[in-house]
Amino acid sequence: MKNLQKTTSALFVVLALIVLNSCNKETKVSEPVISKTTITDYANIISSFALETEEELTSTDVTNLKSASLASCFNVTVHANANGEFWPRTWTVEYPGGDCIFLSGNTKKGKINVSLSAFWKNEGSLRTVTFEDYYFNGNKLEGTKTILNNGLNERGNLNFTKSVKDSKLTYTDGTSITWACEKYSEMIAGSTTFIFADDIYSVTGAGSGVNLDGKKYTINITSPLIYNSGCFYPVSGILEINTDGQNSQTIDYGTGECDNLATLTVGGTSSEITL
């Protein structure tokens, strides 16, 4: 009888430990996972490929030259063709030494290589941009950007296909975000002059990549982005960002102001943000 009582008591102890352990597992609260990727990171990877200065400097033919204000902190080298022909043309835009600071507050360092098959306003002309140990705002930028002139559309406006491939923006802490896109850019003002200050573009299209957390994301332009020459960010238009396992986010760039402000909407809640 004593042995039976000991055995029964032992069983109760074992059962109690099992139940207690089970309760502990059920009541354990998981710590929230904080995303490394912010809305600014998505905006950065898109805006890093704007390259307005480099495109302005390399938009020339034999007789026509887009106006360009050269800063003292960068050099432009034009590479002559061995056969003496003017086209195609290649340039190297170099930001040597320390960071080159622009009026927008953005900094650049390293080299950007540009090739252009023909005058940029000619249908079929192709511009190719690559980077050589290049840093934008202290972050390393890699990839290839191409701009293909598709000629005039049904509205009589020049339109271009702008693609970015194999791109990556690597931050100083070693984390990185990738990006690939195909966008369609329509020149809605400024095509009749040879100055960039009056150029305005309407841009549509989409892209995708992998963010700082290793999650896939897509970005779709749901309302055309309007770019005014001299403004780093779009002055209007809406982006929709969808990331695996997260709520959809939209960025509304406003109604025409040249600034770094936008409206972020997540889950029906909107707030003003600084890009």
Side-chain angles (χ1 to χ4, degrees):
M1 180 63 71
K2 288 183 179 180
N3 289 337
L4 180 60
Q5 289 176 341
K6 289 181 180 179
T7 302
T8 303
S9 299
L11 286 172
F12 276 123
V13 171
V14 172
L15 287 172
L17 289 173
I18 292 174
V19 171
L20 180 61
N21 188 49
S22 177
C23 290
N24 287 339
K25 287 183 178 179
E26 291 176 358
T27 57
K28 184 178 180 180
V29 178
S30 298
E31 294 183 0
V33 177
I34 300 175
S35 175
K36 297 177 184 177
T37 312
T38 68
I39 201 69
T40 303
D41 294 311
Y42 292 121
N44 282 345
I45 191 65
I46 298 172
S47 300
S48 297
F49 286 94
L51 304 176
E52 183 178 88
T53 299
E54 292 75 22
E55 291 177 24
E56 179 178 352
L57 291 170
T58 58
S59 294
T60 178
D61 68 1
V62 177
T63 59
N64 295 314
L65 176 66
K66 282 276 191 176
S67 63
S69 299
L70 297 177
S72 60
C73 60
F74 68 88
N75 306 314
V76 180
T77 303
V78 181
H79 303 285
N81 292 321
N83 60 6
E85 296 292 328
F86 191 86
W87 299 108
R89 298 298 276 179
T90 59
W91 295 260
T92 298
V93 183
E94 183 178 8
Y95 304 92
D99 290 328
C100 187
I101 304 175
F102 288 77
L103 292 176
S104 61
N106 295 305
T107 63
K108 300 180 180 182
K109 183 171 66 174
K111 295 181 181 180
I112 296 178
N113 301 304
V114 183
S115 67
L116 186 59
S117 65
F119 180 45
W120 71 281
K121 284 189 175 181
N122 291 353
E123 183 175 356
S125 69
L126 178 67
R127 190 194 308 266
T128 303
V129 182
T130 58
F131 306 92
E132 186 178 340
D133 200 28
Y134 174 74
Y135 292 81
F136 181 76
N137 289 336
N139 305 313
K140 188 173 184 179
L141 185 65
E142 302 169 85
T144 300
K145 178 180 180 178
T146 59
I147 304 173
L148 175 64
N149 184 327
N150 300 314
L152 300 177
N153 61 14
E154 65 278 4
R155 288 179 290 276
N157 294 329
L158 282 172
N159 70 103
F160 305 83
T161 299
K162 297 185 176 183
S163 301
V164 173
K165 297 180 179 179
D166 304 319
S167 75
K168 180 168 66 171
L169 187 65
T170 303
Y171 292 99
T172 55
D173 62 1
T175 59
S176 62
I177 181 171
T178 67
W179 174 241
C181 72
E182 185 164 281
K183 296 188 290 185
Y184 308 96
S185 183
E186 178 184 2
M187 194 175 190
I188 58 177
S191 62
T192 60
T193 71
F194 283 95
I195 58 173
F196 268 82
D198 59 358
D199 291 354
I200 301 176
Y201 288 89
S202 175
V203 179
T204 59
S208 61
V210 177
N211 68 14
L212 302 179
D213 303 285
K215 293 185 177 181
K216 295 180 180 179
Y217 69 92
T218 60
I219 297 180
N220 295 292
I221 301 174
T222 57
S223 178
L225 301 181
I226 304 301
Y227 286 87
N228 289 358
S229 182
C231 299
F232 183 68
Y233 293 105
V235 298
S236 63
I238 299 174
L239 291 176
E240 181 180 83
I241 303 170
N242 290 289
T243 305
D244 286 354
Q246 296 182 10
N247 290 329
S248 177
Q249 305 174 83
T250 62
I251 302 177
D252 187 334
Y253 286 97
T255 56
E257 297 82 6
C258 184
D259 56 29
N260 63 342
L261 301 177
T263 300
L264 172 65
T265 301
V266 184
T269 300
S270 298
S271 59
E272 185 177 84
I273 59 172
T274 302
L275 299 170

